[in-house]
Structure formats: C-alpha cells, structure tokens
Amino acid sequence: MRTLIAAATLLPTAALAHPGHHEDADPTHLLTQPDHLGTLALIVAAGVAAWVLLRGRS
C-alpha cells in the first residue's frame, strides 16, 4: 500500500515533461526522453505493486 501511495505522490512530478508538441512524435520518442522514461517507470512500478498486493487476496 505504501508503494502505491508513493507512486501517486511522485507521479505529478513526472508529468513535468520537456516543452514542445507531441502530436507528431513517433513512439520511440517515449524511449529517448528521460522524463517520459520516468513516467513509464512509475506506471510499471504502480502496476507491479498492485499485482503484488492483489495476488495474495485470492
């Protein structure tokens, strides 16, 4: 539970992306910019934390 709270607390800071328009950006753009990588890492961490917490409830 603490992991999800930490991720929810840190997620808004990851939204501070570099300036510019992303309408024409290709998908590899997500893997070349550190701010996007941080956002993806937080999303994956939240998913893993949810899986770990919920797998024992069945």
Side-chain angles (χ1 to χ4, degrees):
M1 188 61 142
R2 288 185 227 161
T3 306
L4 290 176
I5 293 170
T9 304
L10 294 173
L11 193 57
T13 59
L16 300 173
H18 56 276
H21 298 285
H22 291 83
E23 294 90 20
D24 299 327
D26 56 8
T28 58
H29 175 78
L30 292 175
L31 302 176
T32 59
Q33 300 298 321
D35 54 343
H36 293 304
L37 286 173
T39 303
L40 289 173
L42 281 174
I43 292 168
V44 169
V48 169
W51 177 75
V52 167
L53 289 172
L54 295 175
R55 72 178 175 164
R57 292 186 180 209
S58 58

